[in-house]
Amino acid sequence: MMNVFDDFARRGLVHSFTEGLPEVLANQKVTAYIGFDPTSDSLQVGNLLALMGLARLQRFGHTPIALVGGGTGLIGDPSGKTQERQLQSKELIAANVEAIKAQLTRFLDFEVRSNPARLINNADWLTTIPLMDFLRDVGKHFTVNYMIAKDSVQTRLERQEGISYTEFSYMLLQAYDFLQLFDRYGCILQAGGSDQWGNITAGVELIRRVRGMRAYGLVYPLVTGADGVKLGKTEQGTIWLDPKRTSPYRFYQFWLNQADADVICYLGYFTWLSYEEIAELEQAVRERPEQREAQRRLAREVTRLVHGEQALADAERASQALFGGSLEGLSVAEIEDVFAEAPSSEVPRIAFEGPGKPLLDLLVEAGLVKSKGEGRRLVAAGGVYVNNVRVEDASQAISTAQLIGGRFLVLRTGKKQYHLVRTLV
RNA sequence: GGGCAGAUACCCAAGUGGCCAAAGGGGGCUGACUGUAAAUCAGCUGGCUGACGCCUUCGGAGGUUCGAAUCCUUCUCUGCCCA
């Protein structure tokens, strides 16, 4: 029977680990944790690897702890950051912690008897520990020399802006978290992204010094696409797990558009597909890349996991309508449905009567272009479509006759940017 | 506290009296080709206008000048050096 470490390794999830970890994971059931930053009210695609990591640990019989950084979030982790972070208010952090909790439940089983997942907030201990105690119990065990040697600190020291004492302390707080979880729950493994290596080993070190016990660390690789961009960061912004921030349709499209070079890797990272299935898809990518079977499967699996079966079905149907055929033949109800995900705006029907409403005004109001000048240029370049028909004349007005079912207008710029205009009586 | 250098559009960066809405690069957008890809090629990339043209913009404020991103004064900020 394969153990979770081998599974991680096979999926390319192991970047580095502390000595002895493979043996421990092979021979015993452990409690492990990963920290999540509450800097926003939603997790994002960048957190997915961590979520799946915990979920896999749980499936292999280990006990996962999701630690939400309600305390450390007040400080800000310098790892992977080149600039000092903005501090966020305590109220905001607390609200974010609650929102993130809700998202975690989609991935982890909190009910199972044998090894239920736990959700813990480090504000529980970080906001109450007296400074003197912290300095004596934690600070004493670290030399500044040790802390300065860490990568995350080094990169900041090399820069002009430097690093504040506050962020410099972050490592100790995270080490203290690990110690707390070790004491309270017998947690002996911390996982995280490769940028967390310094913080994680600091925790391992602290436990060894004050408890004389062995703890372990495991970091997964930083996921960047073939284009070198951090996964989940697109030109249009971050891809969130919250459907209110990133619609399931956009979410689905995000995965569908992954590069051939990345998709197989991602199937291993983000889905529960077996190695055999992944191998088959790999072959499919090689032999008939234009079919994009692997991307389709990836999009399906991840969208279902994050948003559920119904949202997946909607996203697929919308994708098919938008990229498959024309809008012709779609009923008003279907249009309403397909574009439920697309940005939309409302315009009084009156505006379209008589001479009609200038197209350029519509484009600007819909936010598809920033100015009429930009709209005019876009039309000249052939990048504007009304009801999926390319616009030739920028100065035209849209009249009631062009409204689909007398109610809708579908604006599009480029290949993918849709916007639905609803008319109001 | 003293000295020096600098602040230009989304980013980097040229421009040091009119030819500057401001070179070049990156990024972005659109098109062609494609697989809703990559690569490549082409166009666009301050606002208003059908167009001539007009308006706003080169850290802030004021000034010199027929005319200022460019010169002067002052303020703010950033970096470097000295104390």
Side-chain angles (χ1 to χ4, degrees):
Chain A
M1 164 84 187
M2 183 173 249
N3 70 61
V4 70
F5 186 87
D6 296 337
D7 181 61
F8 278 170
R10 186 149 175 186
R11 289 173 184 275
L13 289 169
V14 178
H15 182 265
S16 341
F17 55 91
T18 58
E19 216 184 317
L21 179 66
E23 295 72 28
V24 169
L25 286 178
N27 298 322
Q28 49 176 296
K29 299 302 177 205
V30 306
T31 297
Y33 97 93
I34 296 184
F36 295 90
D37 231 6
T39 42
S40 153
D41 67 356
S42 170
L43 294 172
Q44 53 183 72
V45 162
N47 300 119
L48 217 46
L49 206 57
L51 288 169
M52 290 302 286
L54 281 182
R56 280 188 219 285
L57 280 164
Q58 188 169 34
R59 281 213 180 179
F60 276 91
H62 303 286
T63 303
I65 294 177
L67 183 75
V68 187
T72 35
L74 297 170
I75 300 298
D77 181 3
S79 304
K81 306 284 188 304
T82 52
Q83 293 197 333
E84 185 82 7
R85 287 220 234 158
Q86 285 293 315
L87 292 181
Q88 307 202 0
S89 79
K90 294 183 181 182
E91 294 71 29
L92 189 65
I93 297 287
N96 290 346
V97 167
E98 286 309 307
I100 288 170
K101 269 188 192 177
Q103 293 182 329
L104 287 169
T105 56
R106 290 206 75 99
F107 292 84
L108 301 174
D109 188 343
F110 290 84
E111 306 300 328
V112 67
R113 275 172 165 266
S114 53
N115 58 332
R118 278 204 181 84
L119 183 70
I120 292 163
N121 186 344
N122 66 11
D124 292 351
W125 53 82
L126 286 182
T127 55
T128 53
I129 182 170
L131 179 60
M132 288 308 136
D133 289 358
F134 181 77
L135 291 177
R136 291 175 64 95
D137 297 343
V138 181
K140 196 65 181 168
H141 298 285
F142 292 91
T143 63
V144 170
N145 310 45
Y146 174 87
M147 293 171 71
I148 285 182
K150 298 286 183 185
D151 255 7
S152 58
V153 175
Q154 270 299 315
T155 53
R156 289 285 291 276
L157 285 177
E158 283 162 14
R159 304 190 135 239
Q160 306 287 7
E161 308 90 71
I163 180 169
S164 68
Y165 178 71
T166 302
E167 285 196 21
F168 183 57
S169 320
Y170 189 92
M171 182 193 302
L172 298 189
L173 295 178
Q174 189 163 331
Y176 184 62
D177 282 347
F178 200 171
L179 179 62
Q180 283 292 317
L181 291 173
F182 176 83
D183 286 347
R184 296 177 185 215
Y185 305 100
C187 175
I188 60 163
L189 169 62
Q190 181 181 178
S194 57
D195 57 345
Q196 293 297 312
W197 182 249
N199 295 337
I200 290 173
T201 49
V204 169
E205 189 69 10
L206 183 64
I207 290 169
R208 188 183 66 77
R209 291 194 191 185
V210 301
R211 298 288 179 261
M213 302 288 279
R214 192 132 183 223
Y216 304 87
L218 167 70
V219 294
Y220 42 78
L222 184 67
V223 185
T224 54
D227 51 5
V229 178
K230 212 168 171 180
L231 187 74
K233 300 291 183 190
T234 68
E235 308 309 334
Q236 291 82 41
T238 304
I239 304 295
W240 301 92
L241 301 195
D242 182 346
K244 288 195 289 294
R245 286 203 178 210
T246 300
S247 73
Y249 166 73
R250 269 243 296 152
F251 188 85
Y252 177 87
Q253 286 286 322
F254 168 78
W255 294 104
L256 188 63
N257 281 311
Q258 291 304 320
D260 295 356
D262 299 322
V263 66
I264 296 307
C265 218
Y266 292 173
L267 283 168
Y269 290 172
F270 304 116
T271 74
W272 294 105
L273 297 185
S274 67
Y275 307 131
E276 292 72 29
E277 285 175 291
I278 293 174
E280 276 171 32
L281 288 165
E282 187 173 9
Q283 194 179 348
V285 170
R286 235 188 348 258
E287 289 172 3
R288 37 186 194 282
E290 71 282 0
Q291 297 290 318
R292 289 183 305 139
E293 289 166 52
Q295 280 92 338
R296 227 168 277 280
R297 190 66 191 274
L298 177 68
R300 275 189 75 88
E301 295 298 324
V302 184
T303 305
R304 182 192 293 119
L305 193 64
V306 174
H307 295 297
E309 200 67 58
Q310 182 58 49
L312 168 63
D314 292 346
E316 284 191 308
R317 200 154 37 85
S319 298
Q320 204 145 27
L322 263 39
F323 293 101
S326 68
L327 295 177
E328 308 267 323
L330 282 180
S331 70
V332 168
E334 281 173 315
I335 296 229
E336 179 99 69
D337 219 44
V338 164
F339 287 99
E341 310 257 355
S344 66
S345 57
E346 293 172 338
V347 177
R349 194 164 194 283
I350 312 265
F352 294 100
E353 286 169 3
K357 189 170 176 65
L359 172 66
L360 290 173
D361 289 350
L362 272 171
L363 291 172
V364 172
E365 284 167 29
L368 288 170
V369 297
K370 286 200 295 289
S371 67
K372 291 188 195 178
E374 187 185 330
R376 210 170 270 121
R377 284 191 292 267
L378 203 54
V379 171
V384 176
Y385 304 77
V386 172
N387 296 334
N388 267 2
V389 177
R390 182 177 283 178
V391 172
E392 306 289 344
D393 174 19
S395 60
Q396 69 175 269
I398 306 297
S399 63
T400 49
Q402 286 159 275
L403 298 176
I404 297 176
R407 291 185 54 195
F408 298 117
L409 200 63
V410 177
L411 301 177
R412 189 181 115 206
T413 61
K415 288 191 172 68
K416 305 176 191 174
Q417 292 276 8
Y418 279 92
H419 184 97
L420 180 67
V421 177
R422 289 193 181 81
T423 58
L424 292 179
V425 182

